[in-house]
Amino acid sequence: MKPLVILGMDIDRLAGGRHGHYVIENPMREHPRTRRAFRAVQWILAAEVVVGLAAIAIAAVLQSTGTAVAFPVWFRGAVVLLMTLTLFFFAWRAQLGFYWGYQRLRLFSQIFPVITLIVATIPGLYPYWMVIEQIVFAVLMIGIADFLTSDHMRDAFPSPKRRDELAARRAAGADGGGRG
């Protein structure tokens, strides 16, 4: 798989570190369950974009009708939208088989709901409609995490260390060094 290079920078190495070019095996990348999981993740991310755009639209309508919209509402709306676009990037790289994309997407889909729900409980920080938006956002992110943490997806995207251990076990079994 060819690394993504923009303006001379190896984006996969930058985002994925020393394992930035580690790509899973093609049969697992093309497996119907892997493809189905990523299709679902893409749809959920699209729903996240709709939720983010709706939050900004509601804030704009309220502002235009004379209701004061606090800075945290605008800030959160913009951040959620940008964050979701970043998650689309991670999903794209993961669909191409890059382990780092899968790892980042899985990590953020597990962390963001927790942070979002904690922030939503801060009294008076956000209007009621935005608290509801945050809950919807968190539930959608939990859906992404659910797809990415399935047994199949964890098997499809073994860490480099786990991949090497599995290869060593297979080699030991093929050499007759395994138990019978």
Side-chain angles (χ1 to χ4, degrees), residues 55-56 59 63 68-80 119 122-127 129-131 133-134:
I56 291 174
Q63 187 81 34
V69 177
F71 175 75
V73 171
W74 290 108
F75 183 76
R76 183 184 188 313
V79 166
V80 165
V119 170
I122 299 172
L125 181 60
Y126 296 112
W129 65 267
M130 184 156 259
V131 170
E133 180 265 347
Q134 288 182 296

Side-chain angles (χ1 to χ4, degrees), residues 7-145:
L7 299 174
M9 292 176 38
D10 183 344
I11 303 301
D12 292 313
R13 176 74 66 192
L14 182 67
R18 70 174 183 235
H19 299 297
H21 294 157
Y22 166 49
V23 178
I24 66 168
E25 296 174 5
N26 196 43
M28 289 308 280
R29 185 172 58 242
E30 296 298 326
H31 193 282
R33 291 175 69 190
T34 306
R35 294 171 67 108
R36 248 190 328 268
F38 278 121
R39 216 174 8 260
V41 166
Q42 292 288 349
W43 279 106
I44 295 170
L45 285 172
E48 292 280 11
V49 169
V50 170
V51 168
L53 288 172
I56 291 174
I58 291 169
V61 167
L62 290 172
Q63 187 81 34
S64 70
T65 59
T67 303
V69 177
F71 175 75
V73 171
W74 290 108
F75 183 76
R76 183 184 188 313
V79 166
V80 165
L81 209 48
L82 293 173
M83 183 176 69
T84 303
L85 295 174
T86 302
L87 295 177
F88 265 115
F89 177 71
F90 294 162
W92 171 55
R93 297 314 281 172
Q95 278 181 289
L96 292 175
F98 286 92
Y99 173 76
W100 74 262
Y102 166 77
Q103 181 188 38
R104 301 300 188 279
L105 186 60
R106 191 181 77 187
L107 175 71
F108 289 129
S109 69
Q110 293 173 322
I111 291 173
F112 287 158
V114 174
I115 293 168
T116 300
L117 293 174
I118 289 171
V119 170
T121 63
I122 299 172
L125 181 60
Y126 296 112
Y128 182 70
W129 65 267
M130 184 156 259
V131 170
I132 299 299
E133 180 265 347
Q134 288 182 296
I135 293 169
V136 170
F137 174 84
V139 167
L140 290 170
M141 290 302 293
I142 290 168
I144 291 171

